[in-house]
Amino acid sequence: MDHQFRKYLTKEQVFTIPNFMSIFRVVLLPFIIWTYWKGSYDVAVALLIVSAVTDVLDGIIARRFNMVSDLGKMLDPLCDKLTQGALLVCLAFRYWYVWLVFALLAVKDLTMSFLGAAAIRHRGAVHTAQWYGKLCTVILEVCMAVMILFPRLPEKWVIVLLLLCAAAILLSLTMYVIYLIGLIRSDKTQGAADAPKEEANP
């Protein structure tokens, strides 16, 4: 394992309340999927709300009690990605065109993972989630909750909700690409400025 990433697996990084709350969200995900496939749509949405509330609380606790960790900064968006991806796959079996949104989300997440890893290598720190990423999460989960809770929703409204999801994904992707490339470039510029200058030959 890369030494730069190994430091995020120390006891201080792992054993925090916000991280355990993120793990709880992952444990909750199979139950959301199971209740959806059973047709208990109201229960599935209720569990999704519990997951969303936990997501909000872990951030509040992390900041309030000084439990912010680099591992937590990686776990939180990972939980979001797993939840969104799983729900989109479930809905894709009801509406085939949901696969298009899923593919767009996959492109966004792969791009952000690549650029995020590059930023970590250059700066030695994990970037924090930005407002447009959280906005994207809220829009996706609210839209999917509506589609789950109302399985007989008219198709035109389903398409409107999916277009809203696609717009949120594209906005988040564009803003994050600009942000992460800016981090990488600023680090390189700073590194060049800090490098010792060679003395001129006499």
Side-chain angles (χ1 to χ4, degrees):
M1 183 184 295
D2 192 309
H3 175 71
Q4 187 138 7
F5 291 91
R6 192 180 302 166
K7 68 181 181 181
Y8 303 129
L9 299 179
T10 62
K11 182 170 68 174
E12 293 76 13
Q13 287 277 330
V14 174
F15 295 104
T16 68
I17 293 174
N19 288 350
F20 287 133
M21 294 177 77
S22 292
I23 293 171
F24 170 73
R25 292 175 61 203
V26 176
V27 173
L28 200 60
L29 188 53
F31 294 97
I32 296 174
I33 297 170
W34 182 59
T35 52
Y36 173 84
W37 283 111
K38 279 185 61 182
S40 302
Y41 301 129
D42 52 346
V43 178
V45 170
L47 292 176
L48 180 59
I49 292 172
V50 171
S51 177
V53 170
T54 304
D55 183 23
V56 173
L57 288 178
D58 72 4
I60 294 174
I61 291 172
R63 292 185 293 273
R64 176 67 177 80
F65 297 99
N66 195 28
M67 293 182 180
V68 177
S69 66
D70 285 332
L71 179 62
K73 292 176 186 176
M74 292 186 284
L75 275 178
D76 186 59
L78 176 61
C79 292
D80 292 339
K81 292 174 175 60
L82 290 174
T83 301
Q84 294 160 13
L87 292 178
L88 284 172
V89 169
C90 288
L91 288 168
F93 286 94
R94 186 190 298 171
Y95 312 106
W96 68 266
Y97 34 83
V98 173
W99 287 114
L100 301 176
V101 178
F102 179 84
L104 183 60
L105 182 66
V107 169
K108 167 186 170 287
D109 291 340
L110 288 173
T111 302
M112 287 177 56
S113 296
F114 174 77
L115 291 175
I120 292 173
R121 290 181 183 277
H122 281 87
R123 300 181 62 88
V126 181
H127 71 88
T128 56
Q130 303 298 304
W131 67 266
Y132 34 83
K134 286 301 182 182
L135 177 63
C136 180
T137 295
V138 171
I139 291 174
L140 261 64
E141 293 189 3
V142 168
C143 289
M144 288 188 288
V146 171
M147 286 188 283
I148 290 171
L149 199 56
F150 301 101
R152 294 181 176 83
L153 197 67
E155 188 173 12
K156 64 178 180 181
W157 288 112
V158 173
I159 292 174
V160 168
L161 291 173
L162 292 177
L163 287 175
L164 183 58
C165 289
I169 293 170
L170 287 172
L171 171 65
S172 179
L173 173 59
T174 302
M175 298 294 286
Y176 265 121
V177 166
I178 294 171
Y179 171 69
L180 292 171
I181 290 178
L183 285 181
I184 296 169
R185 286 182 174 174
S186 66
D187 182 73
K188 289 181 177 179
T189 303
Q190 184 64 36
D194 293 340
K197 296 180 180 180
E198 295 183 1
E199 295 183 2
N201 292 327

